[in-house]
Amino acid sequence: MINFTVGPVQSDEKVLEIGSKNVPYFRTPEFSEIMLENERIMKKLTFASENDRVVFITGSGTASMEAAIMNVFTQNDKVLVINGGSFGQRFAEMCEIHDIPYTEIKLQTGKTIDEELLKKYDNQGYTGFLVNIHETSTGVYYNLNIISDFCKRNNIFLVVDAISSFLADSFNMTELGVDVMITGSQKALACPPGISIIILSEKAINRVMNNNVKSMYFDLKLALKNGERGQTPFTPAVGILLQIHERLKQIEKNGGIAVEQKKISKLANDFRNRIKDLPLDICSESLSNAVTPLSTRNCSAYNIFTTLKDEYGIWICPNGGDLKDKVFRVGHIGNLTINDNIKLSDALHDLFKKGILK
Ligand SMILES: *Cc1c(COP(=O)(O)O)cnc(C)c1O
């Protein structure tokens, strides 16, 4: 199978090789060193500040989204949530569950935000902002500069879910004034699912330290304390952390974030050019390099997914809910090549010739 989904995605040989081995004991100076290096490279790739900290959570991306909310917000906050799809909706539901006062900015499918829209929320006492910078469910990529300006001028604490955008799109934690950045192992990091990562600014660490979190596993105070010596409070997904280490070191060695991002944007642009003549429409106002969301005109998008899976050995990413028959997504993250793009493009053109894609 060739995997064009948005996670889990294809890993390279070296990462796979680590996955085939026994998991080592981890309360050792050797593992601590690996973890401290993971933290160092994560900070480098996100342009975090010297005193920012990185926490590795064993749990999928949603675990880190929830941990972030529980640790940096309280009932005294007033949070703005961008809700443009199922991941924005998830943030809103988490605020609900944890009694964090919030206002949703609900967007129509495929629509982004602009300065005018945010201006309406100036000087209204908001203290926090939650956004999935790439709303993976619809493929909309919001403009982080606009959000950053809004948060800076209103002195708002900014939490960015960059789970599917990290490594695919440019991101500078310090320049943008991002207080919490979240990502995960199974998107562009191209490792198995199971680890999510939270980067905390000094302001965020302060909030964590002064917050009374009613949870043991998700109290980030413990994670921060243990992290000082490269450890975690509980047994982490040790194997995946070793795979992440391999991947991070590779990215660093190959020239860093710019090179990685260029590789992904090249794959995305190549694919988008190859399918221009097909009856498929890009259905987002603004795109991340990570994903191309496509709507079909006169056929079921879900049927295209099933046919590619069963007859061509290719996974694309189907949509759920209302969009199931209208939209599918093609990911450009993970260990993919231009040759893979050619195979997918050929398969789609074949479906067009057969009258299945119309
Ligand atoms: C993948 C993803 C998540 C995390 O989902 P999990 O299934 O919990 O790993 C969260 N937000 C966005 C924007 C994502 O793309």
Side-chain angles (χ1 to χ4, degrees):
M1 296 293 291
I2 309 176
N3 185 349
F4 284 93
T5 68
V6 293
V9 298
Q10 296 178 166
S11 303
D12 66 46
E13 285 303 322
K14 281 196 162 157
V15 167
L16 291 175
E17 199 186 304
I18 294 169
S20 74
K21 294 202 176 120
N22 269 322
V23 174
Y25 182 63
F26 70 105
R27 298 288 189 205
T28 60
E30 290 78 14
F31 186 70
S32 293
E33 204 166 299
I34 285 171
M35 287 301 283
L36 291 173
E37 195 167 37
N38 279 348
E39 175 166 27
R40 176 185 67 74
I41 304 176
M42 277 305 299
K43 282 170 68 172
K44 192 170 156 190
L45 297 179
T46 52
F47 299 92
S49 302
E50 200 182 332
N51 294 329
D52 294 356
R53 290 286 308 280
V54 183
V55 169
F56 297 85
I57 298 284
T58 294
S60 78
T62 306
S64 280
M65 290 166 72
E66 188 159 23
I69 287 184
M70 290 165 72
N71 280 268
V72 302
F73 293 132
T74 70
Q75 291 176 7
N76 299 322
D77 278 294
K78 186 177 161 190
V79 177
L80 259 183
V81 183
I82 303 289
N83 181 354
S86 57
F87 292 107
Q89 176 67 26
R90 196 169 295 180
F91 264 151
E93 283 172 27
M94 285 175 181
C95 287
E96 195 73 48
I97 289 168
H98 296 289
D99 295 321
I100 314 289
Y102 70 100
T103 306
E104 264 176 277
I105 302 182
K106 257 203 142 148
L107 302 172
Q108 280 180 324
T109 305
K111 297 283 179 211
T112 189
I113 50 163
D114 58 20
E115 269 178 306
E116 283 309 303
L117 177 69
L118 288 185
K119 266 189 195 147
K120 290 184 208 148
Y121 299 90
D122 273 330
N123 308 315
Q124 294 199 11
Y126 285 101
T127 59
F129 197 104
L130 282 169
V131 64
N132 321 86
I133 197 60
H134 173 223
E135 174 53 77
T136 324
S137 67
T138 60
V140 175
Y141 179 60
Y142 304 118
N143 185 330
L144 193 47
N145 291 314
I146 293 176
I147 294 169
S148 165
D149 286 348
F150 171 78
C151 289
K152 281 179 182 168
R153 70 176 181 260
N154 287 286
N155 192 25
I156 289 174
F157 186 92
L158 174 58
V159 176
V160 175
D161 162 3
I163 296 182
S164 62
S165 173
F166 172 59
L167 296 176
D169 307 305
S170 66
F171 179 83
N172 187 314
M173 176 128 177
T174 303
E175 268 177 22
L176 294 161
V178 172
D179 290 299
V180 177
M181 184 276 202
I182 306 162
T183 189
S185 55
Q186 83 273 28
K187 304 283 165 85
L189 264 175
C191 288
I195 291 283
S196 48
I197 303 169
I198 310 174
I199 308 187
L200 301 151
S201 70
E202 268 190 285
K203 225 160 88 186
I205 294 165
N206 244 337
R207 279 190 174 232
V208 172
M209 291 306 173
N210 292 311
N211 207 335
N212 182 23
V213 176
K214 291 265 183 287
S215 166
M216 182 185 277
Y217 200 80
F218 288 123
D219 189 343
L220 296 183
K221 286 194 251 341
L222 284 176
L224 284 168
K225 183 91 198 88
N226 280 262
E228 284 171 12
R229 57 185 176 101
Q231 285 288 328
T232 52
F234 317 105
T235 309
V238 177
I240 299 170
L241 287 164
L242 294 176
Q243 290 170 304
I244 288 174
H245 184 240
E246 169 63 33
R247 225 344 232 153
L248 290 175
K249 277 198 317 185
Q250 273 177 25
I251 294 169
E252 196 179 36
K253 203 176 101 214
N254 293 342
I257 185 77
V259 172
E260 186 65 21
Q261 199 194 303
K262 213 185 219 162
K263 179 193 160 245
I264 299 173
S265 76
K266 204 173 139 200
L267 280 172
N269 291 328
D270 173 77
F271 173 74
R272 288 165 194 169
N273 284 328
R274 282 181 199 282
I275 53 143
K276 278 193 171 142
D277 55 340
L278 291 171
L280 292 167
D281 303 298
I282 289 180
C283 52
S284 160
E285 280 187 337
S286 166
L287 294 172
S288 158
N289 291 315
V291 171
T292 304
L294 293 164
S295 59
T296 50
R297 293 179 196 165
N298 296 304
C299 64
S300 156
Y302 197 80
N303 185 46
I304 301 297
F305 158 72
T306 308
T307 311
L308 286 174
K309 170 170 72 69
D310 296 340
E311 291 172 30
Y312 294 84
I314 294 174
W315 277 309
I316 53 170
C317 209
N319 269 57
D322 293 345
L323 299 176
K324 184 177 170 193
D325 286 313
K326 285 201 188 105
V327 176
F328 64 76
R329 292 160 297 159
V330 175
H332 309 295
I333 53 181
N335 192 25
L336 288 167
T337 62
I338 297 287
N339 211 21
D340 295 323
N341 275 355
I342 293 171
K343 285 182 191 154
L344 174 56
S345 165
D346 285 352
L348 287 167
H349 281 86
D350 201 38
L351 291 183
F352 177 63
K353 261 187 232 137
K354 289 179 177 162
I356 295 170
L357 174 63
K358 55 187 177 183

